[in-house]
């Protein structure tokens, strides 16, 4: 079972799309085990996007992600990382397939609405960066038998 960190970025919250975005992961069959509404500090943003530090868009990326509140979530499931990224669509919304979050709601790479972990190693790091263990909820979902074989 994998866990992935998903963020509804500030544009998603400001545009009133948080519910729509959350619903897409929920109805896919991923299981929500942690959620908070928060505004990222400069320090958290720099840590979260540290891998992009040398990229030309780094400063604007940190400015974007700290510019307003976000919804931070942990979703769990078999192949949760790949499933969530498929639901999100390609990084550049112009290339993202219709039916994906970015393909349905985005127009530019710098306003692409949603973050999702890209590997198991990064998922573990990112979940720990945003959530304490006590903030994650182990719960039994009654529909699981109809979602997983
Ligand atoms: P991902 O979010 O699909 O994993 P990454 O390559 O990890 O994509 O980039 C992290 C974030 O940085 C993107 O979601 C996007 O917000 C931003 N970003 C990536 N490339 C560019 C760019 O060329 N211009 C502006 N922002 C970018
Ligand atoms: Mg990434």
């Amino acid at each position: 079972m994998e866990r992935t960190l998903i963020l509804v970025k500030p544009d998603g919250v400001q545009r009133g799309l948080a519910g729509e975005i959350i619903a897409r992961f929920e109805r896919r069959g991923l299981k929500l085990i942690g959620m908070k509404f928060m505004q990222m500090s400069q320090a958290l943003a720099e840590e979260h996007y540290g891998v992009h530090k040398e990229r030309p868009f780094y400063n604007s990326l940190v400015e974007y992600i700290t510019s307003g509140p976000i919804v931070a979530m942990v979703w769990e499931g078999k192949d949760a990382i790949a499933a969530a990224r498929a639901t999100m669509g390609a990084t550049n919304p112009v290339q993202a397939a219709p039916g994906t979050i970015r393909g349905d709601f985005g127009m530019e790479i710098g306003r692409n609405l949603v973050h999702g972990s890209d590997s198991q190693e990064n998922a573990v790091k990112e979940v720990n960066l945003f959530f304490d263990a006590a903030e994650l909820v182990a719960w039994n979902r009654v529909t699981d038998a109809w979602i997983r074989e």
Side-chain angles (χ1 to χ4, degrees):
M1 203 58 70
E2 281 181 357
R3 292 175 170 182
T4 185
L5 180 84
I6 300 292
L7 307 176
V8 179
K9 293 178 175 180
D11 49 338
V13 172
Q14 291 286 356
R15 292 174 58 193
L17 292 170
E20 167 76 39
I21 291 168
I22 294 162
R24 287 172 176 233
F25 296 105
E26 190 177 39
R27 73 188 186 196
R28 181 93 198 252
L30 288 159
K31 182 172 154 188
L32 185 65
I33 60 164
M35 178 184 244
K36 60 174 102 171
F37 186 67
M38 60 183 286
Q39 187 152 356
M40 283 171 71
S41 66
Q42 181 80 13
L44 179 60
E46 287 177 5
E47 171 111 45
H48 175 64
Y49 281 129
V51 56
H52 296 306
K53 199 165 177 45
E54 305 307 324
R55 309 282 283 276
F57 57 83
Y58 175 74
N59 286 337
S60 62
L61 174 58
V62 169
E63 200 176 309
Y64 162 46
I65 205 70
T66 59
S67 65
I70 62 159
V71 182
M73 296 167 282
V74 181
W75 290 88
E76 190 178 76
K78 185 168 172 284
D79 298 319
I81 295 162
R85 285 190 68 93
T87 290
M88 288 158 52
T91 304
N92 186 342
V94 173
Q95 274 134 33
T100 65
I101 294 165
R102 288 163 168 171
D104 285 351
F105 301 113
M107 287 295 289
E108 284 193 19
I109 197 165
R111 295 289 183 270
N112 64 359
L113 297 145
V114 66
H115 167 84
S117 306
D118 66 1
S119 67
Q120 290 207 40
E121 189 191 345
N122 286 336
V124 170
K125 271 192 216 156
E126 292 176 359
V127 167
N128 289 334
L129 188 59
F130 280 80
F131 289 87
D132 293 330
E135 294 175 310
L136 300 179
V137 181
W139 61 290
N140 187 33
R141 189 172 55 179
V142 296
T143 53
D144 265 353
W146 302 103
I147 295 168
R148 294 164 41 197
E149 212 179 345

